[in-house]
Amino acid sequence: MPELPEVETIARGLARRVTRDVVESVWLGQKKEPLKSSASEIAATLEHSRIAAVRRMGKHIVFDLEKNHQVRARSSAGGRQGSGNAKAQWVVHLGMTGRLQVCEPQTEVEKHTHAIVRLSSGRELRFVDPRRFGRLSVAPAADFDAGGVEPLEVDLDPFIKLFRGRKTPIKSALLNQKLLRGVGNIYADESLFRAGIRPRRRATTITREQLEKLFYAIKEVLAEAIALGGSSISDYVDADGEEGFFQLQHRVYGREGEPCLICKTPIKRVVIVGRSSHYCPKCQK
Ligand SMILES: [Zn+2]
């Protein structure tokens, strides 16, 4: 399952390839699950739109779209349309196995292709997803809200406030997408290790000093993973998609029973809200 750093890397790779291209037409498959907006709405929003930007919001990939001609306002509450450019967004969530492929039209269409977006450059942007947990939607008023705050952008004080009074384990608070968007299981474990906090600790009992460590640990872990991903993304977007995922050198995640890299104590694994959590019983309190 792609986590925040992978989605960030994929979004950057897509931005390099399709920014300023224009959508000529859209083909959508028959399977209903991948379509969170109706097929007709997705097609109407994308067709004849210019891709102004591609970026990550949480674990979503957001294509900012512009239509140069004034389109009929879809809702009176819109109000986001300025200088004759109607704005909208195409939002892709990759789910477990979703991929976005930029390719030439003669490239064989893979099994499990659910959307083909034909671009004026002659290339195609295809959404392929064997397990169909991925989702495609549109926000015609460009008001997509991914929920929570962006872990790479949030400041220290608002970050600390997120956990105030929360009796849940810190691990579940980190995975709660309504608080922080996009921090997944691996990066939560790795950040907690670097901050010296046990995953089961109740969020409300963690001192400000420890939360400050956690704040910097999350940013550091995510930034390192994004930096590692930069070199592999061309494979991911262009080719068969099996390649290109990179892994941060995990210090605790997936290392149950192996010695802690700092103190040699065997790493423990516990299950918290259905997710495996890994920690060092000596380094983490
Ligand atoms: Zn240790």
Side-chain angles (χ1 to χ4, degrees), residues 215-262:
F215 170 80
Y216 290 110
I218 290 171
K219 291 188 188 245
E220 187 182 271
V221 163
L222 293 174
E224 281 175 23
I226 291 167
L228 281 171
S231 57
S232 53
I233 190 58
S234 57
D235 295 335
Y236 188 79
V237 175
D238 281 342
D240 63 7
E242 297 306 316
E243 298 165 69
F245 271 6
F246 49 87
Q247 284 198 329
L248 192 74
Q249 201 54 51
H250 299 154
R251 297 185 191 173
V252 284
Y253 185 82
R255 297 191 63 243
E256 184 186 7
E258 292 176 42
C260 168
L261 300 178
I262 293 173

Side-chain angles (χ1 to χ4, degrees), residues 193 259-265 267 280-284:
F193 175 72
C260 168
L261 300 178
I262 293 173
C263 73
K264 310 266 190 283
T265 305
I267 298 298
C280 170
K282 195 170 169 200
C283 295
Q284 292 171 259

